[in-house]
Amino acid sequence: MQKIRTYFFLLTTLIIVFLFYAHTLGYPWKHFDEQIIYNETVLPVPYSFSQLIEYLRHFGINNFFEASNPFYSSVSNLRCDPVNNFITLFVYLIFKKSYFLYHLLSLFLHLFNTALLFLIIKKISITFINNQNQFQSLRLLLTSILTLMWSLHPANIESILFACNWSAILTYSLCTILIFYFVNFGLENNKINPVVKFITVFILSLIPLFNSEYSVTLAPVIFFYLLTNTIYRTKNINQSLYSTFVETLPLLISLGLFIIFFLSSPTKSNLHLTNSLYLHETIQRFFWLSPQIFFHLIKLIFFPLNLSIDQTAMVSFSKTLFSSYSIFCSTLFLTIIIILLLSLFFCKKKIFYLMFSTLFYFSITISPFLHILSPSYCIASERYLYFPMFMLMFGISHFVFYLISRITHKQIIILTIASIFLLIPLSIKSYTRTLDWENSVSLFTSALNTAPNNLFKAIRYEFLGSILLDYYKDEESQQTGKNYINKSINLLEEYIKEQKAIDKQFGNSIPEVIKSYGLDPKTLQAKAAYLLAFTKIGLLKDSDLAFKIIDKYLSNLQITDTQILDLYLGLLFARKSYDKVETILKHALEKKLSPTLLVIYSELYKAKYNDYKSAEESLKKSFKYFPYDLQTLSGLKRFYLETNKAREFAYYSYLLGIRMHSLESLYNAYNIYTKLNDKEMIEKSLKNIELIENNSI
């Protein structure tokens, strides 16, 4: 009977979640980061299993990816997740470009995590209420409500409806499996063969680390969960430390391997250790920047009012190091750290054990998104809260069921009713948020309506205008699109004036860490000027005007953002300002590894020095780290055409052809291989030509 009740409440919870999100399964691609899939920006979509094997053979899975957004910050992150690349290629092979299947996958994974959270909370309830039959229906109902508060939380909408986020949810699903295992069995399960258990836990913890680096928090979460629980039960610290260490050894080894991989590869640049002001900025980042981000995310969890894909723009930062707001945030942040330390030290006592359980798991899982471990290009995002809120609900459940064990049946009913009334407004807000994601226009309109400043209003007007002009050909849409573009231009001009005034007022007192993130008034003027120049090039096709707009803001600023430099260096190249191009490139490459910069440097070697050997080395270096990058492949193909190296030209034509499904490049490869009488490559070229033609029908 107990199992039937449990299954009934679990199934009911899952049905509610599914029905809540069912209408979103048909939502089409957004003209947002989802282009990573439908435009094959980072990885290609294989047309067949044999083509997938070709990708693995020629490009491999050790592909680096530069994550950045100049309007979010000037920070760029170099990412390499080999397991993620491997899994993604297989998912692309199966799903192709069906948005329905990607939405279905995300929803399925979310339902899976919902089920695990329900079972975890149920297990927590049993630990505090020894009699499993006592108030069972009420306890299961409250378990469902707590689970739904997480599963239907408004801040989780982005995680589930953002088609590119399926990989992150998959990572967290693997994490929740391990959390479920240790919560249910912990140190008590001696039935499983130790070797089998060790290998299973090791693999299940290693996969998410190389699928998404944010899972670095899994090992400490499980370690301290087992440690505090054991200390609380046995009161023996030394024995608890030893048994916890032995039990979590596979987790700790997998984490150690990941750290070695991270620090031995170019991804270590994410730590920004090369910056001479690193220590000074790190102190400011930890004690000043991170607390303000933390407070913003806390508000987003408990008061999810302003939701936007541009959540990073909504984080408030003080203009000076010492202000009432920054002091409040820093005090709150440090207070929580002190409470955690005290709770760990005194976790033998129930109240401290409960405080630790409620705060620690959330604080640890949210730490990678607070810029504590390293700077990140994105200041804040709703999808960052998916796993931290899971662990927050995990912690809150300890307090809730401890409270239930101490109150009467009538009081439990009142608590349950109160929880339902809290769930209802959350669900309504979540549902209205799902409507924002219905299509590109609704998504960018919602971002426009919540934009906190003229820069982000201009960005969203520009996006909306471009969508209307490109995809809606009726006269009204075309005129509205042009009006939006003109509004964007006007807002950018206003924003530049605003930032000049702010710089005049606060310029000398702006914290160094804000300058390092490119959020100071001078750098924001340059970014606005870039968007203004980019917009006017698209509208007026006037590169001279664009150069005049952007040059006065960028010539004396050391901006290294690839997106901005791509435009600026292109304009400088057109004017043959090679010395300035070289100065900027040298400075930028000292700070980051980027395919765009390496390809431009290759062009500079040829144009300024006629140095084709160095040009080739620059392109080869880019191919080593960014084998799937289209700029790199196109640059190599073009280089070997210019240098009359037939076999190399054929090879990179073939790679470019299979990478972007280009018949032109494959025919180039086929023609050269025919002259070289390379039967194997002739056959492969023809096979891929046929494959592309069949998939184009």
Side-chain angles (χ1 to χ4, degrees), residues 472-486:
Y472 296 83
K473 299 304 179 183
D474 60 283
E475 187 176 340
E476 182 180 355
S477 296
Q478 290 289 301
Q479 186 57 48
T480 303
K482 292 175 183 176
N483 291 339
Y484 282 168
I485 297 293
N486 287 324

Side-chain angles (χ1 to χ4, degrees), residues 555-622:
S555 58
N556 296 320
L557 283 174
Q558 296 180 323
I559 287 182
T560 60
D561 182 84
T562 303
Q563 190 174 328
I564 293 176
L565 289 184
D566 196 20
L567 173 65
Y568 186 50
L569 292 175
L571 294 171
L572 288 173
F573 247 103
R575 285 156 180 76
K576 297 185 178 181
S577 302
Y578 299 139
D579 290 340
K580 184 177 281 190
V581 169
E582 186 169 17
T583 301
I584 294 171
L585 282 173
K586 281 183 176 179
H587 172 73
L589 283 170
E590 285 176 359
K591 293 179 172 290
K592 64 196 295 185
L593 185 64
S594 164
T596 300
L597 299 179
L598 289 170
V599 171
I600 294 175
Y601 221 138
S602 174
E603 295 299 318
L604 180 67
Y605 279 126
K606 291 187 293 181
K608 184 178 181 181
Y609 298 109
N610 199 32
D611 184 352
Y612 280 78
K613 182 180 178 182
S614 297
E616 182 179 21
E617 289 174 355
S618 185
L619 289 170
K620 285 292 187 67
K621 182 178 181 180
S622 184

Side-chain angles (χ1 to χ4, degrees), residues 287-289 291-292 316-333 511:
F287 292 102
W288 187 86
L289 186 87
Q292 293 176 76
S316 298
F317 291 117
S318 299
K319 296 292 190 297
T320 60
L321 275 177
F322 301 102
S323 69
S324 56
Y325 178 72
S326 64
I327 292 172
F328 164 76
C329 293
S330 297
T331 303
L332 174 67
F333 190 66

